Amino acid sequence: MSLRKLNSLLFIAVALLAAAACDKDKETESLPSLSGLYFSCPAFVAPGEAVRMIPEGVEHPEGGEIGYFWKVTPTMKYNDTTNVYVHWFSDTLQTYTVNCYAFAEGYNNTTFSRQVMVVKNGLDGSLTKTDIKAADPKVTVDGIDYYYEKIGDLEWFRNNLAAASSGVSYVNEEIMSDIFGRYYSYNDAVNACPEGWRLPTEEDWMSLAEAIGSPVSEKYQVFEDVAAKLMVNAYFNEIALLEYWPVVGEVTNSSKLSLMPFGYVNLGNRNEEGRFPNAAFDGIYTYTAVWTADKVEGEEDMAYYRYIISNQPEMLVGKGDVNTFGASVRCVRDAQ
């Protein structure tokens, strides 16, 4: 057989295979699809934690059997034909993607995925390079260490308050409570600090600004060029919390207040258990919001908070609803 004939036969065979594959794709495209798959799992888990997941929402149109295939990346995949899957997450502090596929004979499969981040609570767990624990004095309340720093005539908490008697943890995941601290409405914040400490007034914030070289003459003014002195270039699971913005300058945290961009929350309505199930969190990595103790004159439902946006050099002032706006809390006291 000539080389030309052989090549012609090979070409025909390849063409036939391609046509068959195309027909197979068309056949698959013409199949009805399963739909409605979902499953619940936490957004944050502890190292080594086991999470039980149950697929829901898919019903076989003809009452037939539905199978499930689970895949967790970047670690492993697992084949399971039951409707319950338990995964033990590793000790590696990183983000995992959990995929569930539902399939049935004669139907296109459907998939649903969730992301899960393994985190370690406390300082120097998922949070690193904060320098908060560096030979500083501390107070311990309900098992949580709060380090503090003397700035001017006041002593300030260097980490966010995490008192679980009120407030909410990030995305309502309790493991995040003493990583980011808790978010409090103003009405909760005024009573949240431990005995001997208080929610800082605007005068306290002005005293801090004076001590770090940005004096102001009136309440609720912008503190100029202080963001780099107040913020710390920390990491969360090896991800930098702050991007570099030339207008801000080098982040030095020379004040040692160690503010971090943990955002804020629209708390929504409080339920009968005192929780906020519909809390909507925003501003992580870009926004730092901390309460003052000052109510807004003439607006009884509003209170002032101080905030930093990561791409601006100032500390600004805003107004938040005393019931539904949630911000972080830094406690303060007169220097001992």
Side-chain angles (χ1 to χ4, degrees):
M1 182 183 295
S2 69
L3 181 60
R4 179 177 294 180
K5 285 186 177 181
L6 178 59
N7 286 338
S8 296
L9 289 174
L10 288 174
F11 176 79
I12 293 170
V14 170
L16 289 173
L17 288 172
C22 185
D23 289 342
K24 181 67 174 178
D25 289 341
K26 288 181 179 179
E27 180 183 340
T28 301
E29 289 175 2
S30 67
L31 291 176
S33 296
L34 299 173
S35 62
L37 176 65
Y38 69 94
F39 62 89
S40 298
C41 67
F44 299 94
V45 298
E49 183 174 343
V51 176
R52 183 173 182 264
M53 292 165 278
I54 302 175
E56 300 180 74
V58 179
E59 294 184 3
H60 196 293
E62 302 171 47
E65 182 180 355
I66 295 176
Y68 298 97
F69 176 77
W70 295 85
K71 182 178 181 181
V72 180
T73 55
T75 51
M76 58 88 73
K77 59 180 64 176
Y78 182 74
N79 209 346
D80 187 14
T81 56
T82 68
N83 63 350
V84 177
Y85 173 51
V86 178
H87 184 75
W88 279 263
F89 285 89
S90 75
D91 292 340
T92 304
L93 304 182
Q94 64 179 16
T95 300
Y96 298 82
T97 300
V98 181
N99 292 281
C100 181
Y101 303 84
F103 59 88
E105 185 177 355
Y107 291 84
N108 283 326
N109 65 16
T110 185
T111 184
F112 182 79
S113 65
R114 293 286 303 269
Q115 288 194 321
V116 181
M117 181 178 284
V118 176
V119 296
K120 185 178 180 182
N121 60 6
L123 294 170
D124 294 337
S126 281
L127 278 183
T128 55
K129 302 183 181 180
T130 66
D131 196 34
I132 290 176
K133 297 173 66 174
D136 285 346
K138 68 180 180 180
V139 294
T140 302
V141 182
D142 296 330
I144 300 174
D145 293 331
Y146 297 103
Y147 293 80
Y148 59 91
E149 179 71 19
K150 183 176 182 294
I151 306 174
D153 295 326
L154 299 171
E155 291 173 339
W156 291 80
F157 273 18
R158 295 191 64 190
N159 43 323
N160 288 345
L161 185 68
S165 56
S166 59
V168 296
S169 53
Y170 183 63
V171 296
N172 279 309
E173 299 278 5
E174 284 303 312
I175 194 172
M176 297 298 293
S177 184
D178 69 336
I179 298 177
F180 285 4
R182 295 178 79 82
Y183 303 77
Y184 300 85
S185 70
Y186 172 84
N187 286 339
D188 287 335
V190 291
N191 298 310
C193 288
E195 184 177 355
W197 297 80
R198 65 178 183 270
L199 190 65
T201 63
E202 173 65 7
E203 286 89 350
D204 293 332
W205 285 104
M206 292 170 66
S207 174
L208 180 145
E210 175 83 27
I212 63 175
S214 182
V216 290
S217 58
E218 296 180 4
K219 289 182 176 182
Y220 318 121
Q221 289 185 334
V222 170
F223 299 162
E224 300 286 349
D225 298 319
V226 298
K229 299 176 182 179
L230 297 173
M231 303 288 284
V232 63
N233 194 19
Y235 283 68
F236 174 55
N237 273 16
E238 302 302 320
I239 301 170
L241 285 167
L242 288 171
E243 294 184 9
Y244 172 67
W245 294 94
V247 69
V248 176
E250 181 183 359
V251 174
T252 65
N253 191 32
S254 58
S255 68
K256 295 189 177 180
L257 194 63
S258 303
L259 291 177
M260 288 173 260
F262 294 149
Y264 58 93
V265 57
N266 180 357
L267 293 165
N269 295 323
R270 193 191 300 259
N271 65 17
E272 294 180 356
E273 290 78 33
R275 298 182 178 275
F276 299 92
N278 299 314
F281 294 80
D282 200 358
I284 186 174
Y285 298 111
T286 60
Y287 199 98
T288 301
V290 281
W291 280 116
T292 80
D294 289 31
K295 298 281 290 286
V296 178
E297 186 175 352
E299 300 180 58
E300 287 303 308
D301 290 334
M302 304 294 286
Y304 290 106
Y305 62 92
R306 283 282 173 183
Y307 69 97
I308 292 173
I309 301 175
S310 62
N311 63 352
Q312 296 185 30
E314 305 89 5
M315 181 176 235
L316 309 168
V317 64
K319 301 177 183 178
D321 184 275
V322 297
N323 294 301
T324 61
F325 184 79
S328 301
V329 166
R330 290 299 182 92
C331 300
V332 68
R333 69 181 181 186
D334 297 332
Q336 303 296 295

